[in-house]
């Protein structure tokens, strides 16, 4: 039987339907709240707000569950194939072998970027952050592919999605090459998605990078584990921008900017910096933990905690295992892995972290794996963006296909009451705000 939530306001009752998702997660549908009561809700950080209905990804943060289109992420760990998972997320089901082959062919076909676009890289300063370049260049795709500004058929969407998926990898690699003053390496049509990216990152005109199978699989899995995470900050940004009917490239470019922040995708860089600081002896793990628990210090244990997971982040579990397996197989011993394990052990026993249900998140181990593969730290968040792209594309399309209104939240105004304009010559120091 369907449930009703009743709001009593000044003695008057207002009933709102309780709706449930496919996994029985309940929500009060307040779509008519303002029209009926004149009230809005205030939910800073939106932790209690469902902003849409979505059929892409399911998370149960209490139980540490993450599923793409119903499939638990652990099932992608064997022979990981990022492009297959990208198809699943974007088009809603696993591809047939023909569909997969056709999409993969298109990715190969579209891997080059317009030569005109290539010149843009040269005008960025060497020290420019690769995330800034990535966001700019993904937006610039709107200039080079105006035929995709409106996606009015599934066929056109397919072509635009393939183009974006393919070109982001070339843009990402070129951003790195530019930052190092290295010659751009063109994509190799004989290579698959991940080996091709690593070739553009690491080959030289006189020395072809050969991608080890272990590295290929680890990198595929990293991309898969970042591929979608329902209404996180960057995905919500893509949906917010897309709700104005902004094009796919512009919306994903905005998502990249949102991902850049250290509380979101930028945390993988912050984790490495934290581990490095401890390794260099600036702080012991115990001292760092003391600071992380002291609110006044402004320090957090980076790579720990999550808005949704109040249990182990299942992505962190898989990445922790890969780090343990990959490093010895690559003949690498990274002291930062030991430090990370040490911090994790302390945190899992410490009442501060236990009571707040703070566990390692996806960023805690991803940097250590990327470092072992040879990816420089300033590219970590770029790799996160490459991984998250199919999720952004899927959400943009899902929203585009539904009858969504432009996203336009309300606010509680806390500024000045009615205030008169004072002409410049008569102005003293800024007057104190008048209470409203
Ligand atoms: N270290 C120390 N204390 C923490 C941490 C942390 N990493 N995370 C949360 N807390 C404390 C916080 O101070 C608060 O304490 P109190 O209740 O005493 O005020 C409590 O735990 C709840 O934290 P919150 O800030 O209200 O939680 P949130 O849901 O707003 O933030 C978060 C989630 C991920 C931003 C936060 O846990 C954090 O800053 N973590 C470190 C940064 C990080 O690793 N980010 C990557 C997130 S996963 C990848 C992604 O989605 O991009």
């Amino acid at each position: 039987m369907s449930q009703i939530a009743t709001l009593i306001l000044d003695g008057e009752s207002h009933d709102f339907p309780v709706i449930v998702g496919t996994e029985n997660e309940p929500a009060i549908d307040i779509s008519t709240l303002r029209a009926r009561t004149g009230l809005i809700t205030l939910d800073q950080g939106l932790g209690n707000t469902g902003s849409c209905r979505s059929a892409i990804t399911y998370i149960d943060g209490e139980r540490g569950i993450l599923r793409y289109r119903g499939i638990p992420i652990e099932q992608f760990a064997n022979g990981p194939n990022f492009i297959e998972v990208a198809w699943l997320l974007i088009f809603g089901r696993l591809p047939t072998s023909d569909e997969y082959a056709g999409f993969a062919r298109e990715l190969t076909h579209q891997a080059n970027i317009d030569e005109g676009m290539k010149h843009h890289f040269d005008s960025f300063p060497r020290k420019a952050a690769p995330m800034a370049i990535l966001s700019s260049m993904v937006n610039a795709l709107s200039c080079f592919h105006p035929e995709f500004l409106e996606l009015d058929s599934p066929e056109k969407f397919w072509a635009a999605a393939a183009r974006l998926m393919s070109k982001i990898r070339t843009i990402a690699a070129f951003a790195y090459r530019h930052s190092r003053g290295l010659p751009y390496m063109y994509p190799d049509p004989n290579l698959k998605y991940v080996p091709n990216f690593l070739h553009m990152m690491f080959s030289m005109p006189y020395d072809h990078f050969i991608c080890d199978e272990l590295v290929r699989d680890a990198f595929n899995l990293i991309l898969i584990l970042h591929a979608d995470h329902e209404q996180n900050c960057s995905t919500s940004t893509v949906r917010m921008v897309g709700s104005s009917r902004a094009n796919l490239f512009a919306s994903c470019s905005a998502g990249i900017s949102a991902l850049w922040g250290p509380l979101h995708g930028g945390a993988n860089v912050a984790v490495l910096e934290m581990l490095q600081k401890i390794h260099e002896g600036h702080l012991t793990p115990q001292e760092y933990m003391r600071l992380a628990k002291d609110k006044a210090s402004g320090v957090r244990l980076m790579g720990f905690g999550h808005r949704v997971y109040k249990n182990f982040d299942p992505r962190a579990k898989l990445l922790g295992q890969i780090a343990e397996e990959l490093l010895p197989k690559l003949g690498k011993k990274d002291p930062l892995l030991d430090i990370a394990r040490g911090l994790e052990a302390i945190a899992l026993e410490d009442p501060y972290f236990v009571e707040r249900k703070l566990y390692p998140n996806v960023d805690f181990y991803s940097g250590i794996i990327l470092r072992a593969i040879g990816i420089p730290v300033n590219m970590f968040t770029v790799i996160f963006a490459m991984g998250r792209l199919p999720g952004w594309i899927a959400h943009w399309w899902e929203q585009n296909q539904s009858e969504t209104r432009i996203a336009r939240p309300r606010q509680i105004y806390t500024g000045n009451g009615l205030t008169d304009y004072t002409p410049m010559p008569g102005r003293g120091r800024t007057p104190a705000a008048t209470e409203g």
Side-chain angles (χ1 to χ4, degrees), residues 132-423:
I133 298 181
L134 189 73
S135 169
S136 314
M137 298 304 268
V138 165
N139 203 7
L141 287 172
S142 328
C143 310
F144 288 89
H145 306 287
E147 69 277 23
F148 292 130
L149 294 187
E150 264 188 57
L151 301 180
D152 44 20
S153 68
E155 294 72 26
K156 234 173 157 181
F157 169 65
W158 179 91
R163 200 160 292 202
L164 185 47
M165 285 285 303
S166 182
K167 293 195 192 299
I168 197 173
R169 148 189 77 160
T170 312
I171 292 171
F174 279 24
Y176 167 68
R177 304 293 290 205
H178 174 68
S179 73
R180 295 290 164 103
L182 296 170
Y184 302 121
M185 293 303 300
Y186 284 86
D188 179 342
N190 299 310
L191 296 177
K192 293 196 166 191
Y193 196 84
V194 164
N196 210 350
F197 171 67
L198 296 175
H199 149 71
M200 287 188 273
M201 286 283 291
F202 299 132
S203 284
M204 289 303 232
Y206 46 84
D207 186 11
H208 208 83
F209 174 82
I210 308 288
C211 182
D212 185 286
E213 279 181 18
L214 278 175
V215 169
R216 180 200 63 198
D217 287 354
F219 204 92
N220 263 291
L221 192 57
I222 285 186
L223 294 177
I224 289 171
L225 295 179
H226 288 86
D228 193 42
H229 215 230
E230 47 117 306
Q231 308 309 319
N232 57 86
C233 177
S234 56
T235 303
S236 298
T237 301
V238 170
R239 289 187 87 119
M240 171 77 94
V241 175
S243 78
S244 74
R245 297 287 178 247
N247 71 73
L248 178 65
F249 302 123
S251 304
C252 289
S253 161
I256 293 168
S257 299
L259 187 73
W260 193 0
L263 295 190
H264 192 11
N268 54 16
V269 173
V271 170
L272 243 271
E273 287 168 353
M274 170 184 82
L275 298 176
Q276 193 73 42
K277 238 191 223 167
I278 296 172
H279 177 55
E280 286 166 6
H282 299 302
L283 286 167
T284 63
Q286 287 73 14
E287 280 165 347
Y288 193 94
M289 294 302 267
R290 251 197 311 279
L291 282 177
K293 291 188 283 181
D294 173 8
K295 296 277 157 48
S297 73
V299 171
R300 286 196 162 190
L301 180 58
M302 299 312 287
F304 255 73
H306 200 276
R307 171 63 62 80
V308 179
Y309 292 117
K310 301 302 167 200
N311 198 323
F312 247 91
D313 179 338
R315 303 167 301 172
K317 252 191 210 165
L318 285 170
L319 288 173
Q321 282 164 17
I322 295 173
E324 294 290 354
E325 286 164 21
L326 184 72
L327 268 63
K329 283 186 188 154
L330 292 179
K332 297 200 174 164
K333 168 128 185 63
D334 190 342
L336 301 195
L337 179 57
D338 298 334
I339 295 172
R341 285 287 185 217
L343 286 173
E344 181 184 338
I346 299 173
L348 294 181
E349 296 285 315
D350 188 310
Y352 174 97
F353 291 90
V354 173
E355 281 159 19
R356 289 172 179 75
K357 301 186 177 169
L358 301 170
Y359 292 90
N361 61 47
V362 69
D363 292 313
F364 198 62
Y365 288 109
S366 62
I368 291 171
I369 301 171
L370 290 174
R371 194 168 119 109
I373 294 175
I375 305 286
V377 174
N378 68 349
M379 287 294 289
F380 287 3
T381 319
V382 170
I383 308 294
F384 191 152
M386 283 171 59
R388 184 55 54 90
L389 184 64
W392 292 334
I393 296 174
H395 282 273
W396 185 92
W397 182 245
E398 181 179 67
Q399 176 174 263
N400 185 277
Q401 293 300 287
S402 63
E403 285 180 23
T404 317
R405 298 167 78 199
I406 187 167
R408 203 316 186 173
R410 300 245 169 193
Q411 63 164 18
I412 302 295
Y413 175 68
T414 59
N416 289 347
L418 181 63
T419 306
D420 282 330
Y421 173 79
T422 316

